[in-house]
Amino acid sequence: GICNKSTKQERSVKMPAESIHKDNTVTLDQLSEVLDSGAVIQAKNLLNSLYPSEIADVIESTPRNRRDLLWTLVSDENKGETLAELNDEVREYLIDELIDRDGTEGLVKIAEKLDTDDLADIIQSLPDHLTRKALKSLTKQNQERLEKVLSFEDGTAGGLMNTDTITIRSNVTVDVLLHYLRRMKSLPDQTDKIFVTDRINMYHGFVSLKDVLVADPSKYVFQIMQKDDDPIDPDLGEHEVSRRFENADLVSAAVVDSQGFLLGRITVDDVVDVIREEVDESVLNMAGLKKDDDIFAPVIQSTKRRTLWLGANFLTALLAAAAIGIFEATIEKVVALAILMPIVASMGGIAGSQSLALVIRAQALDQIGSSNSKLLILKESAIGLLNGIIWSGVIAAIVYFWFDSVFLGGVIAAAIMINLIIGAISGVSLPLILEKLDIDPALAGGVILTTITDVVGFVSLLGIATFLM
């Protein structure tokens, strides 16, 4: 039998100190106080009592002028995983500083303690000049580890996988398998199964560790192994990988190429990272930001990023203003219409945003297809109609008592009805259209929807008033 042992050390379990609060903001304040007092050793102990992901959060939440100091306090044991948890911009900054200060030796030590997938993420996120330095600094073994993962595109199962697999042949006994496992100093993290391959690494299935523990030692592996009829293809997208883990409650899964050779495995901790990144990206995209942006980036750099997005919103605002300008004469005659315009636009925008959020979530979960999209549009249209009936009546009554005008009450009722229906239909339709155009609905949907509901709301209110006048 053949077993392959991971080169990664067992991650030590850290119990946070009693003085550390669960809220990382409080921890950051504590660290600042300790550092200001000059108690560097206490600050180091406080920082390294956190998990690597928490250390990364603390570093990202710290102004740039203090990050170098915090990084020097991170223990060698934690540096690799902390670096992998940082966003691209902060990671690039620290690695650049690391190489300038210590040459490539520091990066070599960090690389030796990282999973292949984490190492690949770090290498891929670096600019070209740092990538070349980093690759040259790695040992031949680490370069070979990376070669397999880097051959696949980022965002695929191949780019997400790790090569730290344990394999066994099917013609050995359970006793032999247990003997091999006991000889290992540690098992790779998230090991819940052992993959069964032949002499040329052809994948045949897996053996669950829990089955190994209770099986008769004299039994052969092929007697307790499970067939894996649907292993993960290396070109499968990360999103689909996360769906498989969710649906099948997986802890790990084999990555197998089209010829049936075992390439590596994907573990649930990496899938959780993918899910979190997708959520963060969706939220930030709505504001035109990126998940890897540094919150403490220089002012000029951050201003450049946001200026383009503000410019796009300015253009849409001009369109809404132009729509209002058409009815300038009507507004001069009935000034109250200017007071009521924000109500109409806001109601339509909220109705559309509700539908937009619902559809974007459904798209992320692959719950929408050609078979049910029309039904969803009809459903949201009906909801818009019913809400229009309810709220047009309520708002019309309020406007009537406010301005003592049946005319204004009727105009705003009609405008609210139209904008709620249009907003609901737009909220459903926009994500479907944008997805077909290969545009991220989370990035562009909000801006387009706001423009539609503003323009329709203003034109409805002012157009109906102009017609009746």
Side-chain angles (χ1 to χ4, degrees), residues 340 393-410 412:
L340 300 177
V394 171
I395 295 173
I398 293 173
V399 169
Y400 169 73
F401 287 108
W402 187 359
F403 295 100
D404 192 23
S405 171
V406 175
F407 168 75
L408 286 177
I412 197 168

Side-chain angles (χ1 to χ4, degrees), residues 308-323:
L308 293 176
W309 189 252
L310 290 172
N313 279 272
F314 172 67
L315 293 176
T316 61
L318 281 179
L319 183 61

Side-chain angles (χ1 to χ4, degrees), residues 45 96 131:
N45 293 335
D96 204 354
T131 300

Side-chain angles (χ1 to χ4, degrees), residues 376-404:
L376 187 59
I377 293 174
L378 289 174
K379 176 210 165 189
E380 291 299 316
S381 300
I383 293 173
L385 176 62
L386 290 176
N387 273 325
I389 294 172
I390 294 170
W391 286 103
S392 63
V394 171
I395 295 173
I398 293 173
V399 169
Y400 169 73
F401 287 108
W402 187 359
F403 295 100
D404 192 23

